[in-house]
Structure formats: C-alpha cells, structure tokens
Amino acid sequence: MSTPSICPEWNPVNPAEHKNVWIYIETDKGQILEPSLQILGKGREVADKLGSKLVAVIIGYKIEGLIEDLGKYGADQVIYVDDEKLSTYYAPLYGDVLAHLAKKYKPEAFLVAGTMRGRELAPYIANHLRTGITADLTMIEVDEKNKEVILVRPPFGAWQLAHIRTMRRRPVMGSVRPNVFPTPKKDENRKLESIIKEELPEVHEIGLELISRVEIQKSEEMPIEKAEIIVSGGRGLGSKEGFELIKELASVLGGTYAGSRKAVDLGWIPHERQVGQTGKTVKPNLYVAIGISGAAQHVFGIREAKIVVAINSDQYAPIFENCDYGIVGDYKKIVPELIKQLKELKTKS
Ligand SMILES: Cc1cc2nc3c(=O)[nH]c(=O)nc-3n(C[C@H](O)[C@H](O)[C@H](O)COP(=O)(O)OP(=O)(O)OC[C@H]3O[C@@H](n4cnc5c(N)ncnc54)[C@H](O)[C@@H]3O)c2cc1C
C-alpha cells in the first residue's frame, strides 16, 4: 500500500519499493576522493544492518579504471555512466543524471560526501527526486526493528544531536561531513558482485552554458584536516598580527595553524582554516587553542583531537573544561616563551 503524498503536486512514494544504500563517488583528476571512501566504509555498516546491498554510483569521463577499487573498499555493486559530456563537473547536469539513475533503481538511502561539490550537488538530486535532505551528517544510524535509516547531525548552536527520520519520502538523502568516519582499509581480495553500465540519459536542457573554468590556485599550506599538530587562534589574539606568533609556534612544533570562526569572520585567516561545526572537523595528535573561549560549536570540531592544550587569560573560559592541559595567562607572554624554550630544546637534542 502506498503512503499518502505530503504535497498534492508530489507523486506519493512507497518506501517499501526502495532498497539498497547508494554512495555517490566523487572524483577529481582521475582519483576517487577520500571523503567518498569514508562514507563507503560507513555505508557498508548501514547496508549490513539493513540487510541490503551497498551500491557505489560514479559518473564522469574515462572512469572505468576506478570501478574495481570500489569493491575493494566495500561496495557490492557499481552503477556508472561514462560519457565525454560528463568530463567537466557541472551541478545541474550531474544532478540530473544521478536523479535519473535514482528514479530508475529506487535506492533506500543516497549519501553524498559533504565536500564543496557534494553540498552543491545533493540538493539538486533531492529536488529532482522530491525528497528531503539532511546536510552535514555526523552519524548514520539504523533502526534495525523498522529497517530504517536515521540521519544524525548537530543542530545549530547546541550540544545535543538531532536524529532525523525521513517519514514519507525516499530515498533518505544526506551529505556527510568529511573526516568523521575513517577511510576503510582496502581489501585487495574483495570483488564486486556486479557492475552496471548506464548510458547518459536524456537530460533536461539546463539553460546555462559553461564558458570557462578556472581552477583556484590551491594553498601550499598543509590542510588542517590532515595535520597532526595544529596551533589555533581566536578572537583573543586581538589582531591579525597575533597570528604571526601562532604560525611561528606551529612551525616550531612541525604543525600548521587554524582558528575559530571569529578569527575567520574578522578576516584574520581564510575560511578553509576554520575549525568547528561550520568549519572543519580535525583529528590532530596535538591541538593548541590560543585565545579561543571554547564555544560548543568550536569544540565540536576538535572532539577527535588526542591532546588539547588551551592558553587563555580567563581561568573560567569553557575551553578549560575541554582540554587536557590548560595555561591561564596572556598569550603574548606565554607563546613567545614557549617558542623560545622549544627552540632551545631542539638545539640541545
Ligand atoms: C550556527 C553557529 C555555527 C558556528 N560555527 C562555529 C565554528 O565552526 N567554529 C567556531 O570556532 N565557532 C563557531 N561559531 C561561533 C561560536 O559560537 C563562538 O562565537 C566562537 O567560537 C568564538 O570564537 P573565539 O573563541 O575566537 O572568540 P571569543 O568567544 O570572543 O573568545 C576569545 C577568548 O580569548 C580569550 N582572550 C582574550 N585576550 C586574551 C589574551 N591576551 N591571551 C589569551 N586569551 C585571551 C578570552 O578570555 C576569550 O575566552 C558558530 C556559531 C553558530 C551560532
């Protein structure tokens, strides 16, 4: 029996007709991106709990060489479209093709990595499919009794987690925050059960023309999501110049620098260096928070850090409840002393 439609203009959906967990596999310059592998790993667990197949969906041009590896990372099946018209990523076109595939095969869940591209693409697909979407997932659970996928994300500005159930639409769609799930180990002996090649469907006239594509020059600085040591600064630094000390300490420790949202909003550091709920989740061995109060949205991004050191002039700053070592005092006095002592240690050893 089909369930009623929530909008008279939307065709009703029968959730019982939908099966399998789909992962959109994002590629760049002929490589599978790591956030897609991370959700493939999590997707494996979800599919096992649902008793369904894990399907990797990949579209682009000259991508056939990537397909076998998807089985080694956990997929049961690959559905792909390889066509020259897909050689350049373009959200309306990719969204159209992926929605077309989803309409044909009716997945139960459709997950996309929450990269720049994923965050753009997922709403296009959801809109075509007339389903909801949960952005920035940090956990995916399964209600094993009802065989239902529950998406989990932090709501804005709070410590609690929101558990989101998609009641009447399918697929259950979400974009997953990169780096919250580990990259699965590659199992060289694992093989795909099946590979389905689909032709490029007739897609809608997109009404836009791509005239040129200019690649933004990537910074040569180490990305914070990969760094093992991070020295991070906040509004307490008082000025952009304060970051010179942060960068120097990071360099002496052999790490990189990052900051709070306030530091980004003030224009002291670029957004790609922001840690937290609306920034990046980081997993360093050492995280040094300097002049950062420790708001919930910031601490959210450092839950996976092994050791947190906080330097703050206010002994009651909340960061001290979320650190392993705390130093109370003015960073302008403490950080130069730390740099000096670390340099001395280095010359002695
Ligand atoms: C929806 C939403 C999403 C958000 N996402 C993020 C996010 O992703 N990341 C994030 O960081 N924030 C985020 N925020 C903002 C967050 O709530 C805080 O406002 C922000 O983290 C505060 O930044 P801060 O600690 O640098 O500044 P402040 O809160 O102003 O803290 C500055 C600290 O510096 C200390 N200090 C001052 N002078 C000195 C000194 N000389 N030496 C040492 N310490 C000193 C002060 O005691 C204070 O504790 C978000 C907020 C919302 C509502």
Side-chain angles (χ1 to χ4, degrees):
M1 199 182 79
S2 65
T3 47
S5 170
I6 44 173
C7 167
E9 290 177 20
W10 290 7
N11 291 331
V13 164
N14 180 1
E17 286 175 358
H18 289 251
K19 57 179 192 319
N20 297 338
V21 175
W22 277 28
I23 308 293
Y24 166 62
I25 302 296
E26 186 175 335
T27 62
D28 188 34
K29 299 191 184 100
Q31 302 284 323
I32 297 170
L33 297 194
E34 205 165 326
S36 294
L37 294 178
Q38 292 166 355
I39 49 170
L40 204 54
K42 186 66 191 173
R44 181 68 268 162
E45 275 176 49
V46 174
D48 288 343
K49 284 186 185 160
L50 289 171
S52 68
K53 287 197 193 309
L54 181 66
V55 181
V57 185
I58 177 167
I59 67 173
Y61 184 45
K62 295 191 176 162
I63 49 167
E64 286 181 329
L66 303 173
I67 290 174
E68 288 300 332
D69 268 3
L70 295 169
K72 293 175 184 164
Y73 283 108
D76 298 312
Q77 185 180 67
V78 169
I79 300 177
Y80 76 101
V81 181
D82 195 322
D83 192 290
E84 198 175 349
K85 289 203 182 94
L86 297 172
S87 54
T88 305
Y89 164 75
Y90 188 44
L93 174 65
Y94 269 49
D96 227 359
V97 174
L98 290 164
H100 172 91
L101 295 174
K103 275 183 189 159
K104 179 170 175 183
Y105 291 96
K106 295 191 168 51
E108 161 69 13
F110 196 169
L111 302 170
V112 171
T115 56
M116 291 273 272
R117 181 188 295 188
R119 284 169 190 236
E120 179 184 47
L121 186 58
Y124 274 98
I125 306 169
N127 182 44
H128 274 298
L129 299 175
R130 295 283 188 252
T131 190
I133 179 162
T134 303
D136 212 23
L137 301 179
T138 54
M139 184 50 70
I140 304 156
E141 293 180 356
V142 174
D143 173 347
E144 289 189 57
K145 191 166 151 243
N146 297 311
K147 296 281 176 214
E148 206 182 329
V149 178
I150 312 286
L151 305 178
V152 185
R153 61 152 292 155
F156 295 115
W159 284 104
Q160 302 95 328
L161 291 171
H163 287 64
I164 296 156
R165 171 168 264 150
T166 308
M167 305 288 283
R168 282 180 276 175
R169 307 303 295 177
R170 287 294 182 274
V172 175
M173 267 205 85
S175 62
V176 185
R177 171 173 275 245
N179 278 333
V180 290
F181 301 121
T183 306
K185 287 209 174 81
K186 192 173 180 182
D187 178 354
E188 293 294 344
N189 298 320
R190 205 175 174 286
K191 298 241 175 316
L192 286 163
E193 287 171 17
S194 58
I195 300 171
I196 300 176
K197 179 174 184 183
E198 284 283 339
E199 295 306 319
L200 184 73
E202 263 192 43
V203 285
H204 293 128
E205 212 29 75
I206 44 188
L208 291 169
E209 187 189 348
L210 183 68
I211 295 167
S212 71
R213 181 171 287 263
V214 180
E215 196 159 331
I216 296 169
Q217 209 180 350
K218 292 222 170 97
S219 151
E220 290 188 357
E221 288 163 340
M222 181 189 290
I224 59 171
E225 56 275 33
K226 294 216 156 86
E228 299 206 340
I229 296 175
I230 297 177
V231 182
S232 197
R235 181 156 60 179
L237 298 184
S239 69
K240 189 171 184 168
E241 287 64 50
F243 265 93
E244 293 312 315
L245 272 181
I246 299 292
K247 287 180 190 172
E248 194 180 345
L249 180 57
S251 152
V252 176
L253 288 169
T256 194
Y257 74 98
S260 70
R261 176 155 148 187
K262 287 286 181 233
V264 173
D265 291 347
L266 288 160
W268 298 348
I269 54 165
H271 180 254
E272 68 198 34
R273 305 233 138 227
Q274 181 187 318
V275 172
Q277 190 182 317
T278 45
K280 288 180 177 165
T281 298
V282 292
K283 297 178 176 173
N285 291 328
L286 174 66
Y287 186 82
V288 188
I290 304 176
I292 293 177
S293 58
Q297 298 88 0
H298 185 83
V299 173
F300 180 83
I302 56 171
R303 289 170 310 160
E304 304 286 326
K306 289 211 177 86
I307 295 175
V308 176
V309 177
I311 301 172
N312 198 301
S313 53
D314 173 7
Q315 62 171 314
Y316 299 109
I319 192 74
F320 289 128
E321 282 160 31
N322 290 288
C323 71
D324 301 283
Y325 302 95
I327 306 172
V328 180
D330 183 350
Y331 86 94
K332 286 185 189 146
K333 291 188 186 139
I334 295 163
V335 176
E337 186 59 30
L338 264 177
I339 294 171
K340 187 175 143 245
Q341 294 205 18
L342 283 165
K343 280 184 177 167
E344 281 172 12
L345 265 178
K346 272 192 176 173
T347 44
K348 275 185 204 154
S349 58

